[in-house]
Each structure stands twice: as structure tokens, then as C-alpha cells.
């Protein structure tokens, strides 16, 4: 568990140094009282998960999922993939948030970087139920594949 948390912390620090408007803003971490472990990671808060918005039949513009395409390209240019875990893809409606930009238009925000790893590394974390993609290495194509079922 500590290895996953440390990996996510490193990824979030890298993303803070290379921000993108559709990646959830990371503000740092809280340490334990004795400063021996990470007590939590601090991020912006957003309105709701995309899955909940879909369950509530909230109408979104046709180009709403274009945001994650550009977001993933940014992540891939940094030589990372958001990834899948075991045989489950981590680009799913639970890891995309619905937010509003300053003009009130809906924006898609990517969250949850605990399975994010450098391209080419072996994956090892547990599954996100009902979101499947085969493979066991961090590759950009898996991230892009996962957007297809969400568009449907």
C-alpha cells in the first residue's frame, strides 16, 4: 500500500510541475503527526463523478469527452499513462469528474493517479470493477481505448 501511495505522490508532484486544465489540481500532501507517512493528498474539489452525472441523465455537450483526449495526450507526452489495473481500466466514469469552468460550461477533469506509471512499466494494482482492458504494461493505447466505451 505504501508503495502505491508513494508512486501516486510522485506522479502528483510531477503533474503539479506540468499542469493541465483538465487534470485535477494537486496542492500537496498532509503528513502524519510524526511525519513518518503520508496522511493524505490534497486536490481541488469538483461537482461530481461523471458516472453520477450519467446516472442523473445530466445533458453534456457532444464534445465533452474531447477534454480527456487532450488531457491524456499531455500525460503521454510526459511519458506516463493513467493505465489500467490488473485487467481493469482506470480511465472510467469514476475517475472523471464533472466540473464547471468560470463561464459555467461543463468541463471533464481527470483524477486518481495511483495506477499512473511511466510508459513501459509493468502494472500491478487491483481492479476497478466492470471496466476491463487486457494487458499488464503501462501503454498509452489503453488510456485512449477506455474513452470509447464512455462515448457510447
Amino acid at each position: 500500500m505504501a508503495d502505491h501511495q508513494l508512486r501516486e505522490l510522485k506522479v502528483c508532484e510531477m503533474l503539479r510541475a506540468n499542469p493541465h486544465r483538465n487534470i485535477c489540481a494537486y496542492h500537496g500532501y498532509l503528513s502524519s503527526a510524526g511525519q513518518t507517512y503520508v496522511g493524505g493528498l490534497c486536490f481541488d474539489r469538483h461537482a461530481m463523478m461523471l458516472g453520477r452525472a450519467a446516472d442523473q441523465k445530466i445533458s453534456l455537450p457532444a464534445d465533452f469527452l474531447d477534454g480527456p483526449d487532450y488531457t491524456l495526450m499531455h500525460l503521454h507526452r510526459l511519458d506516463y499513462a493513467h493505465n489500467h489495473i490488473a485487467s481493469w481500466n482506470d480511465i472510467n466514469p469514476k475517475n472523471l469528474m464533472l466540473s464547471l469552468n468560470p463561464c459555467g460550461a461543463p468541463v471533464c477533469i481527470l483524477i486518481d493517479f495511483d495506477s499512473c506509471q511511466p510508459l513501459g512499466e509493468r502494472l500491478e494494482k487491483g481492479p476497478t470493477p466492470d471496466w476491463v482492458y487486457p494487458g499488464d504494461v503501462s501503454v498509452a493505447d489503453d488510456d485512449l481505448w477506455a474513452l470509447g466505451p464512455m462515448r457510447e
Side-chain angles (χ1 to χ4, degrees), residues 8 10 14 23 26 37 40 42 56 58 79 83 98 101 104 107 109 113 120 129 146:
E8 184 174 19
K10 287 179 181 179
M14 181 268 303
I23 290 178
Y26 166 72
Y37 65 91
C42 303
Q56 294 181 9
I58 294 175
D79 290 325
N83 284 311
L98 170 63
N101 70 15
V107 186
I109 304 292
F113 299 97

Side-chain angles (χ1 to χ4, degrees), residues 5-69:
Q5 191 176 42
L6 182 58
R7 182 176 60 230
E8 184 174 19
L9 175 64
K10 287 179 181 179
V11 169
C12 289
E13 290 291 339
M14 181 268 303
L15 291 172
R16 182 162 58 172
N18 299 279
H20 188 278
R21 67 175 186 243
N22 297 100
I23 290 178
C24 191
Y26 166 72
H27 300 287
Y29 66 93
L30 302 172
S31 61
S32 65
Q35 297 188 7
T36 56
Y37 65 91
V38 174
L41 303 176
C42 303
F43 296 93
D44 277 356
R45 174 173 268 193
H46 295 282
M48 69 176 67
M49 287 187 295
L50 183 58
R52 185 171 173 211
D55 290 344
Q56 294 181 9
K57 310 271 190 261
I58 294 175
S59 179
L60 297 169
D63 64 350
F64 180 76
L65 285 177
D66 289 349
D69 277 332

Side-chain angles (χ1 to χ4, degrees), residues 87-149:
S87 62
W88 307 89
N89 204 293
D90 210 34
I91 299 288
N92 62 65
K94 294 179 180 177
N95 288 338
L96 291 170
M97 300 295 290
L98 170 63
S99 194
L100 300 176
N101 70 15
C103 299
V107 186
C108 192
I109 304 292
L110 181 63
I111 65 168
D112 190 16
F113 299 97
D114 63 342
S115 63
C116 188
Q117 291 182 355
L119 296 173
E121 280 195 11
R122 181 171 283 300
L123 303 174
E124 55 188 76
K125 195 179 160 275
T128 298
D130 301 326
W131 212 252
V132 180
Y133 189 89
D136 62 354
V137 175
S138 177
V139 294
D141 287 346
D142 290 359
D143 289 351
L144 301 174
W145 173 89
L147 291 175

